[in-house]
Every structure is written in C-alpha cells, then in structure tokens.
Amino acid sequence: MKTTGANDILGTISPASLTDRAITYAIDIAKSIYRLTRRVQRTADVVNSEYNRQHWQKMLASKAWLGAASLADFLAPPDPTERLRKVDGRILRIDGQRYYRYRIEALSELLLRHAGNTQQIVELGCGSGHNLFSLHLARPEMVLKGFDIAPNGIAAGREIAGHFGLSDKISLDRIDLTDVGDPNLSAIAGEVVFTYFCIEQIPYDVRKVVENIIAAKPKRVINIEPTTELLDLTHPRDLVSLVYIRSVDYQTQLFSLLDRLEREGRIRILARERMPFAPSINNDGFLYCWEPT
Ligand SMILES: C[S@@+](CC[C@H](N)C(=O)[O-])C[C@H]1O[C@@H](n2cnc3c(N)ncnc32)[C@H](O)[C@@H]1O
C-alpha cells in the first residue's frame, strides 16, 4: 500500500466550513466542561487503567495485525468515521484511514528532520510501537527501540514486530520514566530519543521525568507533546484545546521547564515548532528538540 502525502489529501478535500468548525468546537467544549465537573486526576493508577488495562489490552486481545495485508495496512486500517482533523496545518473533515495513511509519512518526516544523522532511534512511552512501525516504513534500515511502562503495550508491540518479521529491527521493553533507578534508563545513553504524547500522561512528575532523561545522557531528545503553555488563546481552536487539556489533566509545564533549563545552561534547544497534524481538533502537539550540554 502506498502511503499518502499531504498534497494527495489537500488536493481532494476543502478546509472544513466555518459552521462545521463552530459546531464541532462547541460540542467539544461542552464535553470538556462536563469532564471538568468530574475532576479526574491523572495519577499513575488512572493511566494504567486507561492504557495498560484498557487500550493496550484490547489491542493485544484483538490481534488485528493478523488480518492486515501489510504493515502499512495495519497502521491505517479501514475507518470510515469522518471527523475534523489537522492535516498539513489545515482543519479538514476526513476519515481515519486517509488520516493515518498520511500520518505515517508526516510523522516520519517530522522525526527524521530533527533526529540528525543517526541509524538508531529510541521512543520513550511507545505504547505498542505505532510510531516506531511508521518510522520503519520510511527508514527500514534503522534500528528502533521502544520503552513503555505498560506490559500489554509492550506485549502487543512485540507480537506485531514478530508477525511482520521485524524483531531484529524493532524491540520493545519496559521502563518507568518516573523511577530514577529504572535499569532501562541506561539504554538511552548516547541515543537520539523521542517522546510522543507520553509526558502528557505524567503531569505530576514532569520535572522528575526530564531530570531522569538528562541524567541518562541521551545524545538528543525530541519531545512531541500537547500543552497549554504554548497555546494562542486568541484562536478559538486553542481555547477548545485549553479546556480539553485541563479536563483530562494532561501536563502543562514541560516546555516552560525546558526553556528554564536552557536559561540555566543545562540543555541547548535546537528547535521549537507546532505540529502540522493531529487526529482531532483539541490536542495539537508541540515539538522541542534539545541536547544536554
Ligand atoms: C498516549 S500513549 C502514547 C503512546 C505512543 N507514544 C503513541 O503515540 O502511540 C502514552 C503512553 O505513555 C505510557 N506511560 C505513561 N506513564 C509512563 C511512565 N511513567 N513511564 C513510561 N511510559 C509511560 C503509557 O503506558 C502509554 O503507553
């Protein structure tokens, strides 16, 4: 299966209308306000329940990879649900399969542009390895390693790698990024590492996680995470994101912390940007690429 570039999508679909956006934003804000009344705190137990015991467990049980014709088909399965998504910086109403086909290419372009000249990349908080498998399609020669706290995510990722004959190229193992004594932190020494919507899940330990990563001496770090810190609240969609992020209690301090660490001379920030793609309207990722000094 051919992956899809932004031009393939932008050539066939017009940006979402003002009415479509207004209605979608209003519904999203209403849902977030309802969630806010329930005051969920994103503790490690909540994350374990949402991801390890539900999301990754369901994926592991489904064995969806067994029915896919190829790795690309597995990463972008048929999904006719059309919703507003961000493609190449524009808000479009498109189905899940077209979005995820485009995302394979867009994610790899984004990561490889910041990774520098490396043959190996490590993802921290990789879940079942969707991002690593996407990267593999763009750069099959690379050695890719993923770490996550969720045993069911790791088990699913290992089965997927085995099924597609990739166990020599893509490996997954356990890590708890909040634990300074975790034995697998040493695996990132000298490596190019990235996080992708992982630190969002650890709002009460952002500083600890960043300190643990710095202490492990990676070569370069690419953090791709949503936040409230960099939103422009003159834009309605960023207001929607602010209320959403508060309602699900995602992290809100990573990028200010990295800015502070740069002022203190402990890291050097090489790039700051906003991601041009997102599967929904309310949780754009921001990217900082940095190196310990
Ligand atoms: C939103 S998912 C993202 C997964 C993956 N990056 C992706 O884009 O498909 C967040 C992941 O962070 C992991 N995570 C949460 N707390 C963690 C911790 N303390 N150490 C390592 N991983 C953690 C969760 O288990 C979950 O798989």
Side-chain angles (χ1 to χ4, degrees):
M1 188 197 78
K2 177 184 167 306
T3 56
T4 309
N7 287 340
D8 298 338
I9 294 178
L10 294 173
T12 55
I13 302 186
S14 323
S17 69
L18 199 57
T19 314
D20 194 3
R21 277 183 284 151
I23 293 171
T24 309
Y25 296 175
I27 292 171
D28 205 272
I29 288 217
K31 285 184 183 165
S32 294
I33 289 172
Y34 169 70
R35 233 181 274 115
L36 275 171
T37 63
R38 297 170 58 211
R39 294 175 180 270
V40 171
Q41 275 205 316
R42 193 155 291 276
T43 60
D45 284 347
V46 167
V47 175
N48 182 51
S49 165
E50 275 187 22
Y51 281 92
N52 186 48
R53 289 177 33 213
Q54 295 182 57
H55 194 73
W56 304 133
Q57 163 59 31
K58 260 189 221 152
M59 169 171 270
L60 186 58
S62 77
K63 309 246 177 280
W65 46 93
L66 297 180
S70 65
L71 178 58
D73 279 331
F74 167 66
L75 295 174
D79 171 8
T81 323
E82 290 196 345
R83 58 159 75 164
L84 293 193
R85 306 176 195 267
K86 187 175 177 188
V87 174
D88 217 30
R90 298 164 78 180
I91 303 301
L92 308 181
R93 181 168 284 281
I94 61 163
D95 64 81
Q97 184 169 51
R98 267 207 285 184
Y99 174 76
Y100 280 100
R101 280 181 180 165
Y102 146 80
R103 181 193 187 274
I104 292 172
E105 203 171 286
L107 177 77
S108 301
E109 186 281 324
L110 183 72
L111 282 172
L112 294 170
R113 184 156 49 81
H114 291 288
N117 191 14
T118 180
Q119 284 308 306
Q120 190 156 300
I121 296 188
V122 177
E123 179 175 4
L124 301 174
C126 66
S128 65
H130 192 108
N131 300 326
L132 299 173
F133 292 112
S134 299
L135 258 180
H136 170 80
L137 290 176
R139 293 282 299 277
E141 73 285 2
M142 273 191 152
V143 173
L144 304 169
K145 292 185 186 171
F147 292 92
D148 200 282
I149 199 170
N152 286 324
I154 298 164
R158 285 178 176 169
E159 282 197 30
I160 298 163
H163 175 71
F164 290 107
L166 299 174
S167 301
D168 58 332
K169 290 285 184 205
I170 302 177
S171 60
L172 287 89
D173 215 329
R174 187 184 182 278
I175 205 165
D176 177 357
L177 291 169
T178 68
D179 177 5
V180 67
D182 192 292
N184 278 335
L185 275 169
S186 61
I188 68 175
E191 301 285 354
V192 174
V193 311
F194 73 97
T195 67
Y196 191 98
F197 290 65
C198 164
I199 297 178
E200 69 167 20
Q201 300 289 332
I202 319 175
Y204 300 103
D205 279 318
V206 173
R207 170 122 217 175
K208 213 192 263 182
V209 168
V210 171
E211 289 295 352
N212 289 347
I213 291 173
I214 292 175
K217 299 192 184 335
K219 178 173 178 223
R220 181 175 289 189
V221 181
I222 304 163
N223 291 126
I224 302 173
E225 302 287 346
T227 191
T228 53
E229 301 150 281
L230 301 169
L231 295 173
D232 175 352
L233 298 180
T234 61
H235 288 274
R237 199 165 67 79
D238 280 11
L239 263 176
V240 174
S241 296
L242 173 72
V243 188
Y244 173 76
I245 289 171
R246 291 281 183 207
S247 77
V248 288
D249 198 24
Y250 285 168
Q251 81 79 30
T252 56
Q253 47 179 296
L254 172 65
F255 298 103
S256 320
L257 170 62
L258 294 175
D259 284 335
R260 192 163 69 242
L261 291 172
E262 180 175 61
R263 286 196 298 276
E264 290 167 6
R266 295 189 53 208
I267 68 171
R268 185 172 60 252
I269 297 175
L270 307 174
R272 297 170 168 88
E273 59 184 78
R274 185 167 183 156
M275 279 177 64
F277 58 94
S280 62
I281 48 142
N282 56 17
N283 205 23
D284 277 17
F286 291 85
L287 177 151
Y288 269 32
C289 175
W290 55 275
E291 292 178 348
T293 51

